[in-house]
Amino acid sequence: MSETNRSGADSQPPIADPQIVSNQVSPIGADAAAGAPGQDLSSLQKQGERYAPAEAVLRRAHVPDFDALRQSSIADPETFWSNQARELEWFAPWTEILQWRERTDAAPPQVQWFVGAQCNITANALDRHAREGSARRNKVALLWTGEPDANGKIAERAFTYGQLLRRVNQCANVLKGLGVQAGDRVTLYMALTPELPIAMLACARIGAVHTVVYGGFSAPALKSRIEDSESKVVICTDIGYRRGKVIDLKGAVDEAVRGLDFVQRVLVHRRGDTTLDESRETDFDSALDAASSECEAARLDSEAPLFFLYTSGTTGKPKGVVHTHGGYMVGTSYTHRICFDLHDDDIYWCTADPGWITGHSYVTYGPLINGATVLLAEGALDFPDAGRWWSVIEKYGVNIFYSTPTAIRALMRFGDEFPAKYDLSSLRVLGSVGEPINPEAWLWFHKNIGHEQTPIVDTWWQTETGQFMIATVPSYPTKPGSPGKPLPGIEAAVVDKEGREVEPGKGGFLIIKKPWPGMMRAIYKDPERYEKYWTLIPGLYAAGDVATCDEDGYFRVMGRADDVMNVSGYRIGTAEVESALVSFPAIAEAAVIGKPDPVKGESIKAFVILRQGHEPSDELLQQVKQHVREELSPIAVPGEIDFVPSLPKTRSGKIMRRVLKAKELGVEPGDISTLED
Ligand code: WT7
């Protein structure tokens, strides 16, 4: 093997070497920051001045002293979490707060929270609010708005907590009638209407396990998930609406369940005039209407499975991440309350699709356990025009708005005039999730949506963590581009391969030291893949992200460990180059991949989407390169830049660099079931 090959892509370790990652931070950061050579600063830190919250925010804060709470929780996390658990209702108490068994050669690690307790997450999300005497009984739980139709008419629906409980009970009784029992799996493939959370809650109510598959997935992707989970029943919507078009969901279900004999029934929520095959299909609404609205929540073990959610891994085959009732209800409700400073009069809107973990933890479970009014909006962010979301905020007086950097950048691209047309003064807290938010998007969000008044809470977490892990609370100063600090009850660090904490500002692996209640309990049918999270750096949970932690304790996520490139011996985060690219005024979005290069090991190739009003040209190309050179470092300048109209993304808005790379290299892209288009 020649030298060239040794440094090529084939010899890449599966994940980044933090030793080399830290090399990368130094030259790039120092250049971009104060110009002090050798100083370890990430490139974003020059914009890293803290943003302190306004007086009005502090007055309402649930957690006025974040640092003090973090300190006290670290001393005794188990007591801390049991105090949070006591805020909720349990049918029977636990005998032990936490049981953690390290992995052995024979078994993966095993974690149990609130051991021996009995509970049901729906008793907390519904009964607690809907019962006689509760002030929330007639409070709106779900508020739904559809896309404007051709005449500009907008459909709306609302469910109070009382109504929601009754509808969930009817759905639960229908499922029971179909023979669904505790532990059975039910796949949900639905449009974003109230029936989706209703179906999720109905499963949970009887101890069945839901597995939500995003409505945009293709039939083969849906089929493989139904097969892996061996679902007895599938619940679907016949059609969805997006950008004025009808999306056929039922057609994909027909194709997916063909030949799967273990699927006994398909429950179809009909919005169109779809005809049903009575031998296998049942009409959702008429079945629910005919069912009793009383159904007690099943008394479940704290560790009973609540749902599986399939997420992409590095190997291609999606992983079925398993979450349970007890710990998850504690982790999601607590973090939702403190990170958004939730109050009873708030209208809360998270734009996430329910087919994503955010739609489970922070559209359905966390907010409903907290008795919030949750807004659901079907359709696209730019239909009928780029003011859609802002019009929704104005119309409903949304107080808490939680979205993604990708969406923010897309909306930014349409210009400031869209948000300027609407009254956004109801907003009190803004949130971001899914990927690092680049300072340019952060500042645009801060100025044009928050009007420099509302804190931006950037939440770092994963499908696997179930709940927020690193974030701030609204009363705490933020740094643009940083999610902040480990939340109370969570101990995180940035370490090298041996698990040693690295110095402030140096790159390394983001790890979590101790178990937390919302953590995944298994990868369905794949103990080996579960175990991997703790074996990469023995004994610690490795998130698979590369991060830094600065002198003040603020974390910065540089991207996935496997999205790090190696250029001339320097490892460069794709996220960093992308951030530099999108800070160029003419660029709206960018994706970067490493290509095998005979001299440098890897060279950088960028794909960029220009803002409206800009055209590709050689001159622009040179300006962009110059910009990256100045923002980051000469070694971070992409050798090639393609101007493209769109980028391949997952539903959760993450750019699928793997797909770009495969296309570039002319190889098979592997699993692309999570691809949006
Ligand atoms: C990965 C998890 C958790 C819901 C959304 C995605 C990245 C997530 C942030 C953030 C920087 C972030 C990480 C993480 N990520 N939030 N605030 N800042 N990066 O869930 O699909 O399981 O992806 O998304 O790389 O590991 P997911």
Side-chain angles (χ1 to χ4, degrees):
M1 281 281 153
S2 67
E3 272 306 298
T4 317
N5 262 333
R6 282 196 51 236
S7 57
D10 286 341
S11 66
Q12 293 260 333
I15 92 170
D17 179 346
Q19 225 61 60
I20 305 179
V21 170
S22 63
N23 284 346
Q24 163 233 326
V25 177
S26 175
I28 296 171
D31 276 348
Q39 219 183 309
D40 289 329
L41 290 169
S42 100
S43 63
L44 300 179
Q45 259 173 328
K46 65 175 181 193
Q47 285 123 327
E49 73 264 23
R50 292 187 220 193
Y51 282 72
E55 207 27 59
V57 174
L58 293 171
R59 273 200 302 273
R60 291 182 61 126
H62 283 314
V63 177
D65 194 340
F66 187 55
D67 281 330
L69 190 61
R70 294 178 57 241
Q71 285 300 325
S72 67
S73 76
I74 294 307
D76 186 358
E78 290 186 31
T79 302
F80 171 81
W81 286 117
S82 75
N83 287 340
Q84 306 316 322
R86 276 183 240 279
E87 300 279 315
L88 302 180
E89 290 183 4
W90 302 76
F91 299 134
W94 51 89
T95 52
E96 218 180 323
I97 299 164
L98 167 68
Q99 211 178 77
W100 168 251
R101 285 206 201 104
E102 300 253 343
R103 70 168 286 280
T104 62
D105 287 341
Q110 204 210 0
V111 66
Q112 287 186 286
W113 278 92
F114 312 112
V115 185
Q118 287 193 323
C119 64
N120 186 306
I121 198 166
T122 72
N124 283 290
L126 299 170
D127 305 59
R128 209 160 51 110
H129 313 308
R131 72 168 60 108
E132 218 177 309
S134 160
R136 293 186 183 133
R137 196 176 189 192
N138 297 318
K139 177 179 175 175
V140 173
L142 296 179
L143 196 54
W144 174 86
T145 171
E147 257 196 3
D149 70 11
N151 305 315
K153 278 189 80 169
I154 302 176
E156 287 176 327
R157 297 166 68 198
F159 285 79
T160 64
Y161 273 95
Q163 289 174 311
L164 184 61
L165 172 62
R166 291 191 287 278
R167 201 62 178 162
V168 167
N169 283 344
Q170 288 179 311
C171 188
N173 283 323
V174 168
L175 291 173
K176 273 190 187 169
L178 295 174
V180 176
Q181 293 175 350
D184 286 347
R185 275 80 61 202
V186 177
T187 294
L188 275 46
Y189 186 73
M190 303 177 81
L192 180 48
T193 71
E195 281 68 24
L196 176 47
I198 286 168
M200 290 164 76
L201 291 159
C203 292
R205 191 126 184 113
I206 61 172
V209 178
H210 57 72
T211 121
V212 181
V213 178
Y214 174 66
F217 272 144
S218 60
L222 173 61
K223 187 180 193 111
S224 73
R225 286 159 173 78
I226 298 174
E227 270 184 309
D228 190 76
S229 59
E230 298 148 307
S231 292
K232 239 187 195 170
V233 169
V234 174
I235 309 179
C236 73
T237 319
D238 60 348
I239 54 172
Y241 298 97
R242 195 175 165 83
R243 289 205 177 87
K245 292 202 187 83
V246 169
I247 314 286
D248 175 23
L249 298 166
K250 173 72 168 38
V253 174
D254 291 347
E255 210 182 310
V257 300
R258 202 170 296 141
L260 299 184
D261 294 334
F262 54 83
V263 179
Q264 293 165 9
R265 268 286 132 181
V266 180
L267 256 179
V268 187
H269 175 236
R270 282 196 291 183
R271 309 169 88 188
D273 51 8
T274 310
T275 49
L276 300 183
D277 168 3
E278 307 277 328
S279 69
R280 203 187 199 182
E281 298 164 358
T282 299
D283 180 61
F284 183 92
D285 274 336
S286 44
L288 266 65
D289 288 346
S292 160
S293 60
E294 278 175 35
C295 173
E296 281 200 8
R299 294 170 73 104
L300 303 169
D301 188 277
S302 168
E303 287 294 323
L306 171 63
F307 64 84
F308 301 169
L309 185 61
Y310 288 88
T311 183
S312 283
T314 43
T315 66
K317 186 184 183 286
K319 320 185 225 194
V321 172
V322 180
H323 284 287
T324 56
H325 277 252
Y328 179 82
M329 74 184 187
V330 175
T332 56
S333 59
Y334 165 71
T335 50
H336 178 259
R337 193 167 61 244
I338 68 158
C339 289
F340 294 127
D341 251 349
L342 184 79
H343 286 73
D344 245 318
D345 55 357
D346 283 329
I347 304 275
Y348 167 80
W349 185 23
C350 166
T351 64
D353 192 275
W356 182 27
I357 187 70
T358 312
H360 288 63
S361 303
Y362 298 104
V363 175
T364 305
Y365 292 111
L368 293 179
I369 294 169
N370 288 333
T373 295
V374 179
L375 185 77
L376 307 171
E378 189 179 11
L381 55 77
D382 57 352
F383 183 85
D385 65 40
R388 164 99 198 282
W389 279 10
W390 318 130
S391 78
V392 169
I393 291 173
E394 176 182 277
K395 182 169 181 188
Y396 296 98
V398 171
N399 307 106
I400 303 168
F401 178 68
Y402 184 35
S403 194
T404 66
T406 297
I408 295 157
R409 286 195 295 269
L411 290 163
M412 197 168 113
R413 204 173 142 200
F414 293 108
D416 302 354
E417 57 275 23
F418 283 97
K421 275 191 260 182
Y422 298 92
D423 177 4
L424 305 178
S425 61
S426 59
L427 290 171
R428 225 185 54 248
V429 179
L430 302 176
S432 174
V433 63
E435 53 182 316
I437 181 165
N438 51 301
E440 199 204 2
W442 194 99
L443 285 169
W444 188 84
F445 202 29
H446 176 67
K447 282 201 183 118
N448 294 277
I449 311 305
H451 298 138
E452 299 181 14
Q453 297 300 311
T454 59
I456 298 177
V457 178
D458 181 358
T459 59
W460 179 87
W461 59 300
Q462 309 176 293
T463 305
E464 294 89 336
T465 70
Q467 60 174 81
F468 297 162
M469 302 297 280
I470 299 177
T472 50
V473 293
S475 66
Y476 202 73
T478 52
K479 295 186 182 186
S482 159
K485 303 186 175 187
L487 289 175
I490 304 295
E491 263 190 274
V494 178
V495 303
D496 65 17
K497 264 202 289 215
E498 276 71 49
R500 288 178 302 235
E501 282 189 37
V502 302
E503 283 165 47
K506 296 252 191 199
F509 299 117
L510 178 50
I511 57 97
I512 311 293
K513 293 184 187 171
K514 299 211 173 107
W516 62 99
M519 67 195 278
M520 66 167 168
R521 300 300 199 263
I523 302 285
Y524 188 56
K525 293 198 284 205
D526 203 341
E528 272 163 37
R529 265 176 123 182
Y530 183 69
E531 180 171 297
K532 274 205 181 123
Y533 290 87
W534 287 271
T535 49
L536 187 67
I537 296 155
L540 301 171
Y541 173 88
D545 282 0
V546 175
T548 61
C549 179
D550 69 17
E551 296 277 359
D552 304 319
Y554 284 75
F555 284 69
R556 256 171 229 284
V557 175
M558 294 153 71
R560 297 292 302 181
D562 32 22
D563 270 341
V564 174
M565 300 170 292
N566 184 339
V567 182
S568 305
Y570 290 98
R571 293 214 172 194
I572 300 168
T574 50
E576 282 201 309
V577 183
E578 288 164 5
S579 182
L581 286 166
V582 295
S583 69
F584 187 75
I587 295 178
E589 287 187 64
V592 163
I593 57 165
K595 273 176 78 171
D597 182 276
V599 182
K600 300 177 187 169
E602 272 186 300
S603 63
I604 303 173
K605 168 142 191 183
F607 299 84
V608 301
I609 304 179
L610 291 179
R611 268 173 208 286
Q612 273 172 2
H614 294 274
E615 293 302 324
S617 71
D618 273 347
E619 199 196 341
L620 187 65
L621 194 86
Q622 293 315 320
Q623 286 171 358
V624 172
K625 288 188 176 183
Q626 185 57 28
H627 177 78
V628 177
R629 187 170 288 123
E630 283 166 11
E631 279 290 301
L632 283 174
S633 135
I635 55 158
V637 176
E640 280 175 90
I641 299 175
D642 278 4
F643 296 102
V644 294
S646 67
L647 291 168
K649 281 183 197 154
T650 64
R651 225 83 49 205
S652 58
K654 259 185 279 300
I655 294 166
M656 292 186 85
R657 298 184 188 85
R658 186 159 57 78
V659 172
L660 287 170
K661 193 160 180 163
K663 200 168 165 232
E664 187 67 25
L665 305 182
V667 299
E668 284 298 315
D671 171 35
I672 50 164
S673 60
T674 53
L675 195 64
E676 176 143 42
D677 287 310

